[in-house]
Amino acid sequence: MPIEKVLILEDDRIQLDNLRDILRDKKYIVSGATTIARADEYLASDNYDLILVDLNLPDGNGLDFVRRLQMKPNRPLSVVMTSTGSIDSAVDCIQAGAFHYLVKPLKPAQLHTIISKAEDLSRLLSVNRFLTSPDHGEERFA
């Protein structure tokens, strides 16, 4: 399943706009939020394939946001971004369910590589859901 809709949760307006421009140039549908509260509003009204999440936000912690995403039935893949990266922080984010962890500033090529890998994983998860669905079951062997 390709990545089509991306939500960026980044409190730095300049970085948010730069990321939005990079992704829109590649024809993704992009929404941007500067707070967790605003991101929650977007998620309440629409589904996203990928969410880029800043770790430090004015109204909360991006890691807690990633943990909450794991509870959603159609949870999007999440990539955590931070300007103060550490190995411990990266491990915490991956254990919380993040697909990837990036240290800012992000380079466009780096972002495109991560999104390509996210698309590959999304396709694999889609095939897995299909093959393990009750409707698909034993009919394929009959």
Side-chain angles (χ1 to χ4, degrees):
M1 210 171 144
I3 302 291
E4 295 176 353
K5 296 175 93 175
V6 180
L7 175 60
I8 304 167
L9 176 51
E10 167 63 67
D11 64 324
D12 181 316
R13 240 335 154 188
I14 293 171
Q15 288 192 48
L16 175 62
D17 291 342
N18 286 338
L19 290 169
R20 185 183 289 141
D21 290 345
I22 290 167
L23 294 173
R24 284 185 176 158
D25 284 348
K26 292 293 185 179
K27 308 300 183 215
Y28 295 104
I29 300 165
V30 183
S31 300
T34 57
T35 64
I36 291 173
R38 184 68 178 126
D40 284 337
E41 290 174 14
Y42 279 116
L43 290 170
S45 64
D46 207 348
N47 291 319
Y48 290 86
D49 304 306
L50 179 70
I51 301 181
L52 303 176
V53 182
D54 188 11
L55 199 54
N56 300 307
L57 296 156
D59 62 341
N61 184 303
L63 180 57
D64 293 333
F65 182 79
V66 168
R67 284 187 182 113
R68 279 195 300 118
L69 287 175
Q70 301 312 304
M71 305 302 180
K72 295 182 79 52
N74 291 325
R75 67 179 170 260
L77 295 175
S78 58
V79 174
V80 173
M81 312 174 294
T82 184
S83 55
T84 57
S86 71
I87 292 173
D88 289 340
S89 174
V91 169
D92 289 344
C93 290
I94 299 303
Q95 287 178 340
F99 169 70
H100 212 289
Y101 180 92
L102 297 170
V103 177
K104 297 187 275 186
L106 306 181
K107 297 177 182 131
Q110 180 185 29
L111 187 59
H112 296 312
T113 298
I114 295 307
I115 291 175
S116 176
K117 288 180 179 184
E119 287 180 333
D120 291 344
L121 177 60
S122 182
R123 278 189 211 95
L124 286 172
L125 292 172
S126 180
V127 168
N128 184 45
R129 277 190 298 270
F130 173 75
L131 292 176
T132 59
S133 70
D135 296 340
H136 188 67
E138 297 177 21
E139 292 178 20
R140 65 180 179 211
F141 298 112

